[in-house]
Amino acid sequence: MNSRVRAGWSRTAVPIAPEMSVLDVGSGAFPNPRATICVDRDLYDNRHRAGAGLVRDRPLVCADVTALPFRDGAFDFVIASHLAEHVDDPDGFCRELSRVAAAGYIETPSPIADVLLHEDYHIWRVSGRGGWITFRQKATRSRVVATICDCFYRVYNAAQPQCERPTYQLPDNAIGRVARSGLRAFGGVLNRIGVMHTRVHFAPTRPLRWRTIR
């Protein structure tokens, strides 16, 4: 019988039975507690993505996600959280995930989140609908959009001082503590209702399908 495992920054519940082998691809600073094996491209930290060092608390394989060193169907389930928006080759990424596991979960920033927070190192805006995951290459922002979205970024991430980009500095007093708690609660609500994330599940009865729009 499957149990519910929390996956991704959204903490989405995914069905993974206790006996299933699980691959976490792009595990970085936050490997899923249920993962059997983790994969990351190198042993360097990923502070540019998460403000924290690479975690190595279980078997870790250094590999590129478009050329995973595992046999077909090696795992029962694969998790790829906040990785797809970074890859150079979305087709290779999807082919490899569906090759090494018949079931899995992919999570990325939603198109809305990517517009509002606009991380420069994200290559793709990723959406999921009707059983498809769609990769759209990001275009250059207008100056007006950039100004508005950079202001949103400064406010939204004010409670997360580890961000590389500038954020508004909250005062170190009661007002600042209340504002920090409010912003964290606001971000948590957006995460859980799905506004900030694209979430794609695939399984043997619902195989992964994808398209890339450049």
Side-chain angles (χ1 to χ4, degrees), residues 24-32 35 37-41 46 49 54-55 60 79 81 83:
D24 187 344
V25 178
S27 53
F30 306 106
N32 190 278
I37 301 289
C38 294
V39 167
D40 218 298
R41 191 160 61 179
N46 71 336
R49 288 178 53 198
L54 186 70
V55 171
L60 172 68
I79 297 171
S81 174
L83 174 65

PDB file of all heavy atoms in Angstrom, residues 24-32 35 37-41 46 49 54-55 60 79 81 83:
ATOM      1  N   ASP A  24      16.365  10.645  -6.429  1.00  0.00           N
ATOM      2  CA  ASP A  24      16.186  12.097  -6.344  1.00  0.00           C
ATOM      3  C   ASP A  24      17.232  12.742  -7.248  1.00  0.00           C
ATOM      4  O   ASP A  24      18.430  12.695  -6.964  1.00  0.00           O
ATOM      5  CB  ASP A  24      16.357  12.565  -4.900  1.00  0.00           C
ATOM      6  CG  ASP A  24      16.009  14.044  -4.705  1.00  0.00           C
ATOM      7  OD1 ASP A  24      15.927  14.780  -5.712  1.00  0.00           O
ATOM      8  OD2 ASP A  24      15.849  14.470  -3.553  1.00  0.00           O
ATOM      9  N   VAL A  25      16.772  13.325  -8.348  1.00  0.00           N
ATOM     10  CA  VAL A  25      17.667  13.922  -9.341  1.00  0.00           C
ATOM     11  C   VAL A  25      17.785  15.424  -9.080  1.00  0.00           C
ATOM     12  O   VAL A  25      16.785  16.113  -8.930  1.00  0.00           O
ATOM     13  CB  VAL A  25      17.139  13.679 -10.768  1.00  0.00           C
ATOM     14  CG1 VAL A  25      18.056  14.338 -11.794  1.00  0.00           C
ATOM     15  CG2 VAL A  25      17.044  12.188 -11.045  1.00  0.00           C
ATOM     16  N   GLY A  26      19.021  15.919  -9.018  1.00  0.00           N
ATOM     17  CA  GLY A  26      19.232  17.319  -8.675  1.00  0.00           C
ATOM     18  C   GLY A  26      18.914  17.569  -7.213  1.00  0.00           C
ATOM     19  O   GLY A  26      18.294  18.572  -6.863  1.00  0.00           O
ATOM     20  N   SER A  27      19.358  16.663  -6.357  1.00  0.00           N
ATOM     21  CA  SER A  27      18.976  16.701  -4.939  1.00  0.00           C
ATOM     22  C   SER A  27      19.490  17.943  -4.223  1.00  0.00           C
ATOM     23  O   SER A  27      18.830  18.484  -3.342  1.00  0.00           O
ATOM     24  CB  SER A  27      19.494  15.450  -4.232  1.00  0.00           C
ATOM     25  OG  SER A  27      20.890  15.284  -4.448  1.00  0.00           O
ATOM     26  N   GLY A  28      20.687  18.400  -4.576  1.00  0.00           N
ATOM     27  CA  GLY A  28      21.208  19.659  -4.058  1.00  0.00           C
ATOM     28  C   GLY A  28      21.207  19.772  -2.556  1.00  0.00           C
ATOM     29  O   GLY A  28      21.611  18.854  -1.839  1.00  0.00           O
ATOM     30  N   ALA A  29      20.722  20.912  -2.048  1.00  0.00           N
ATOM     31  CA  ALA A  29      20.728  21.185  -0.617  1.00  0.00           C
ATOM     32  C   ALA A  29      19.566  20.529   0.115  1.00  0.00           C
ATOM     33  O   ALA A  29      19.570  20.474   1.345  1.00  0.00           O
ATOM     34  CB  ALA A  29      20.694  22.694  -0.381  1.00  0.00           C
ATOM     35  N   PHE A  30      18.566  20.022  -0.642  1.00  0.00           N
ATOM     36  CA  PHE A  30      17.359  19.502  -0.005  1.00  0.00           C
ATOM     37  C   PHE A  30      16.976  18.135  -0.561  1.00  0.00           C
ATOM     38  O   PHE A  30      15.922  17.986  -1.182  1.00  0.00           O
ATOM     39  CB  PHE A  30      16.192  20.482  -0.193  1.00  0.00           C
ATOM     40  CG  PHE A  30      16.494  21.878   0.263  1.00  0.00           C
ATOM     41  CD1 PHE A  30      16.720  22.885  -0.664  1.00  0.00           C
ATOM     42  CD2 PHE A  30      16.580  22.176   1.612  1.00  0.00           C
ATOM     43  CE1 PHE A  30      17.013  24.181  -0.246  1.00  0.00           C
ATOM     44  CE2 PHE A  30      16.869  23.466   2.034  1.00  0.00           C
ATOM     45  CZ  PHE A  30      17.087  24.473   1.114  1.00  0.00           C
ATOM     46  N   PRO A  31      17.809  17.098  -0.376  1.00  0.00           N
ATOM     47  CA  PRO A  31      17.419  15.771  -0.856  1.00  0.00           C
ATOM     48  C   PRO A  31      16.159  15.294  -0.151  1.00  0.00           C
ATOM     49  O   PRO A  31      15.956  15.560   1.033  1.00  0.00           O
ATOM     50  CB  PRO A  31      18.619  14.897  -0.489  1.00  0.00           C
ATOM     51  CG  PRO A  31      19.293  15.615   0.631  1.00  0.00           C
ATOM     52  CD  PRO A  31      19.083  17.071   0.365  1.00  0.00           C
ATOM     53  N   ASN A  32      15.294  14.617  -0.908  1.00  0.00           N
ATOM     54  CA  ASN A  32      14.067  14.120  -0.304  1.00  0.00           C
ATOM     55  C   ASN A  32      14.399  13.039   0.724  1.00  0.00           C
ATOM     56  O   ASN A  32      15.205  12.148   0.455  1.00  0.00           O
ATOM     57  CB  ASN A  32      13.136  13.559  -1.380  1.00  0.00           C
ATOM     58  CG  ASN A  32      11.764  13.257  -0.827  1.00  0.00           C
ATOM     59  OD1 ASN A  32      11.527  12.214  -0.223  1.00  0.00           O
ATOM     60  ND2 ASN A  32      10.840  14.184  -1.025  1.00  0.00           N
ATOM     61  N   ALA A  35      14.420   9.416  -0.512  1.00  0.00           N
ATOM     62  CA  ALA A  35      15.262   9.006  -1.638  1.00  0.00           C
ATOM     63  C   ALA A  35      16.236   7.901  -1.244  1.00  0.00           C
ATOM     64  O   ALA A  35      16.870   7.955  -0.189  1.00  0.00           O
ATOM     65  CB  ALA A  35      16.027  10.199  -2.185  1.00  0.00           C
ATOM     66  N   ILE A  37      18.705   6.867  -3.631  1.00  0.00           N
ATOM     67  CA  ILE A  37      19.917   7.350  -4.295  1.00  0.00           C
ATOM     68  C   ILE A  37      19.685   8.800  -4.712  1.00  0.00           C
ATOM     69  O   ILE A  37      18.593   9.151  -5.163  1.00  0.00           O
ATOM     70  CB  ILE A  37      20.254   6.518  -5.553  1.00  0.00           C
ATOM     71  CG1 ILE A  37      20.458   5.048  -5.190  1.00  0.00           C
ATOM     72  CG2 ILE A  37      21.488   7.074  -6.268  1.00  0.00           C
ATOM     73  CD1 ILE A  37      21.718   4.752  -4.426  1.00  0.00           C
ATOM     74  N   CYS A  38      20.723   9.628  -4.570  1.00  0.00           N
ATOM     75  CA  CYS A  38      20.652  11.016  -5.024  1.00  0.00           C
ATOM     76  C   CYS A  38      21.594  11.223  -6.204  1.00  0.00           C
ATOM     77  O   CYS A  38      22.629  10.557  -6.318  1.00  0.00           O
ATOM     78  CB  CYS A  38      21.043  11.971  -3.901  1.00  0.00           C
ATOM     79  SG  CYS A  38      19.893  11.974  -2.508  1.00  0.00           S
ATOM     80  N   VAL A  39      21.224  12.138  -7.069  1.00  0.00           N
ATOM     81  CA  VAL A  39      22.057  12.499  -8.212  1.00  0.00           C
ATOM     82  C   VAL A  39      22.209  14.015  -8.254  1.00  0.00           C
ATOM     83  O   VAL A  39      21.232  14.749  -8.092  1.00  0.00           O
ATOM     84  CB  VAL A  39      21.446  12.012  -9.547  1.00  0.00           C
ATOM     85  CG1 VAL A  39      22.155  12.660 -10.740  1.00  0.00           C
ATOM     86  CG2 VAL A  39      21.539  10.501  -9.657  1.00  0.00           C
ATOM     87  N   ASP A  40      23.442  14.475  -8.446  1.00  0.00           N
ATOM     88  CA  ASP A  40      23.677  15.881  -8.747  1.00  0.00           C
ATOM     89  C   ASP A  40      24.829  15.941  -9.732  1.00  0.00           C
ATOM     90  O   ASP A  40      25.592  14.982  -9.875  1.00  0.00           O
ATOM     91  CB  ASP A  40      23.990  16.691  -7.487  1.00  0.00           C
ATOM     92  CG  ASP A  40      23.343  18.078  -7.544  1.00  0.00           C
ATOM     93  OD1 ASP A  40      23.707  18.828  -8.470  1.00  0.00           O
ATOM     94  OD2 ASP A  40      22.499  18.397  -6.695  1.00  0.00           O
ATOM     95  N   ARG A  41      24.950  17.060 -10.432  1.00  0.00           N
ATOM     96  CA  ARG A  41      25.917  17.130 -11.525  1.00  0.00           C
ATOM     97  C   ARG A  41      27.355  17.174 -11.030  1.00  0.00           C
ATOM     98  O   ARG A  41      28.269  16.704 -11.693  1.00  0.00           O
ATOM     99  CB  ARG A  41      25.621  18.333 -12.423  1.00  0.00           C
ATOM    100  CG  ARG A  41      26.424  18.310 -13.718  1.00  0.00           C
ATOM    101  CD  ARG A  41      25.803  19.178 -14.774  1.00  0.00           C
ATOM    102  NE  ARG A  41      25.723  20.572 -14.366  1.00  0.00           N
ATOM    103  CZ  ARG A  41      25.235  21.526 -15.154  1.00  0.00           C
ATOM    104  NH1 ARG A  41      24.764  21.211 -16.358  1.00  0.00           N
ATOM    105  NH2 ARG A  41      25.187  22.772 -14.758  1.00  0.00           N
ATOM    106  N   ASN A  46      25.361  24.408  -4.027  1.00  0.00           N
ATOM    107  CA  ASN A  46      24.402  25.027  -4.947  1.00  0.00           C
ATOM    108  C   ASN A  46      23.811  26.275  -4.309  1.00  0.00           C
ATOM    109  O   ASN A  46      22.615  26.516  -4.344  1.00  0.00           O
ATOM    110  CB  ASN A  46      23.313  24.034  -5.368  1.00  0.00           C
ATOM    111  CG  ASN A  46      22.348  23.702  -4.248  1.00  0.00           C
ATOM    112  OD1 ASN A  46      22.688  23.821  -3.088  1.00  0.00           O
ATOM    113  ND2 ASN A  46      21.150  23.269  -4.603  1.00  0.00           N
ATOM    114  N   ARG A  49      21.386  28.509  -6.074  1.00  0.00           N
ATOM    115  CA  ARG A  49      19.989  28.121  -6.202  1.00  0.00           C
ATOM    116  C   ARG A  49      19.244  28.194  -4.885  1.00  0.00           C
ATOM    117  O   ARG A  49      18.078  28.562  -4.855  1.00  0.00           O
ATOM    118  CB  ARG A  49      19.880  26.682  -6.729  1.00  0.00           C
ATOM    119  CG  ARG A  49      20.250  26.520  -8.186  1.00  0.00           C
ATOM    120  CD  ARG A  49      20.167  25.063  -8.604  1.00  0.00           C
ATOM    121  NE  ARG A  49      18.865  24.493  -8.277  1.00  0.00           N
ATOM    122  CZ  ARG A  49      18.640  23.187  -8.203  1.00  0.00           C
ATOM    123  NH1 ARG A  49      19.615  22.333  -8.371  1.00  0.00           N
ATOM    124  NH2 ARG A  49      17.427  22.738  -7.923  1.00  0.00           N
ATOM    125  N   LEU A  54      25.558  21.720  -0.685  1.00  0.00           N
ATOM    126  CA  LEU A  54      25.101  20.420  -1.161  1.00  0.00           C
ATOM    127  C   LEU A  54      25.087  19.425  -0.004  1.00  0.00           C
ATOM    128  O   LEU A  54      26.046  19.318   0.750  1.00  0.00           O
ATOM    129  CB  LEU A  54      26.043  19.925  -2.267  1.00  0.00           C
ATOM    130  CG  LEU A  54      25.668  18.653  -3.010  1.00  0.00           C
ATOM    131  CD1 LEU A  54      24.462  18.898  -3.888  1.00  0.00           C
ATOM    132  CD2 LEU A  54      26.845  18.192  -3.861  1.00  0.00           C
ATOM    133  N   VAL A  55      23.989  18.690   0.163  1.00  0.00           N
ATOM    134  CA  VAL A  55      23.858  17.698   1.228  1.00  0.00           C
ATOM    135  C   VAL A  55      24.260  16.335   0.694  1.00  0.00           C
ATOM    136  O   VAL A  55      23.782  15.901  -0.349  1.00  0.00           O
ATOM    137  CB  VAL A  55      22.412  17.663   1.771  1.00  0.00           C
ATOM    138  CG1 VAL A  55      22.221  16.491   2.723  1.00  0.00           C
ATOM    139  CG2 VAL A  55      22.095  18.972   2.475  1.00  0.00           C
ATOM    140  N   LEU A  60      25.400   9.216  -3.270  1.00  0.00           N
ATOM    141  CA  LEU A  60      25.259  10.321  -4.218  1.00  0.00           C
ATOM    142  C   LEU A  60      26.068  10.006  -5.470  1.00  0.00           C
ATOM    143  O   LEU A  60      27.259   9.709  -5.398  1.00  0.00           O
ATOM    144  CB  LEU A  60      25.751  11.624  -3.595  1.00  0.00           C
ATOM    145  CG  LEU A  60      25.856  12.845  -4.522  1.00  0.00           C
ATOM    146  CD1 LEU A  60      24.472  13.294  -4.963  1.00  0.00           C
ATOM    147  CD2 LEU A  60      26.576  13.997  -3.821  1.00  0.00           C
ATOM    148  N   ILE A  79      12.165  11.606  -8.423  1.00  0.00           N
ATOM    149  CA  ILE A  79      11.767  12.954  -8.037  1.00  0.00           C
ATOM    150  C   ILE A  79      12.752  13.943  -8.640  1.00  0.00           C
ATOM    151  O   ILE A  79      13.969  13.760  -8.533  1.00  0.00           O
ATOM    152  CB  ILE A  79      11.758  13.119  -6.499  1.00  0.00           C
ATOM    153  CG1 ILE A  79      10.723  12.189  -5.868  1.00  0.00           C
ATOM    154  CG2 ILE A  79      11.481  14.570  -6.104  1.00  0.00           C
ATOM    155  CD1 ILE A  79      10.805  12.125  -4.345  1.00  0.00           C
ATOM    156  N   SER A  81      12.956  17.951  -8.330  1.00  0.00           N
ATOM    157  CA  SER A  81      12.368  19.168  -7.780  1.00  0.00           C
ATOM    158  C   SER A  81      13.234  20.374  -8.104  1.00  0.00           C
ATOM    159  O   SER A  81      14.412  20.419  -7.748  1.00  0.00           O
ATOM    160  CB  SER A  81      12.216  19.028  -6.257  1.00  0.00           C
ATOM    161  OG  SER A  81      11.768  20.249  -5.686  1.00  0.00           O
ATOM    162  N   LEU A  83      14.567  21.539 -10.855  1.00  0.00           N
ATOM    163  CA  LEU A  83      15.709  21.236 -11.704  1.00  0.00           C
ATOM    164  C   LEU A  83      15.392  21.486 -13.175  1.00  0.00           C
ATOM    165  O   LEU A  83      16.232  22.004 -13.921  1.00  0.00           O
ATOM    166  CB  LEU A  83      16.122  19.769 -11.505  1.00  0.00           C
ATOM    167  CG  LEU A  83      17.220  19.244 -12.426  1.00  0.00           C
ATOM    168  CD1 LEU A  83      18.533  19.974 -12.164  1.00  0.00           C
ATOM    169  CD2 LEU A  83      17.389  17.742 -12.254  1.00  0.00           C
TER     170      LEU A  83
END
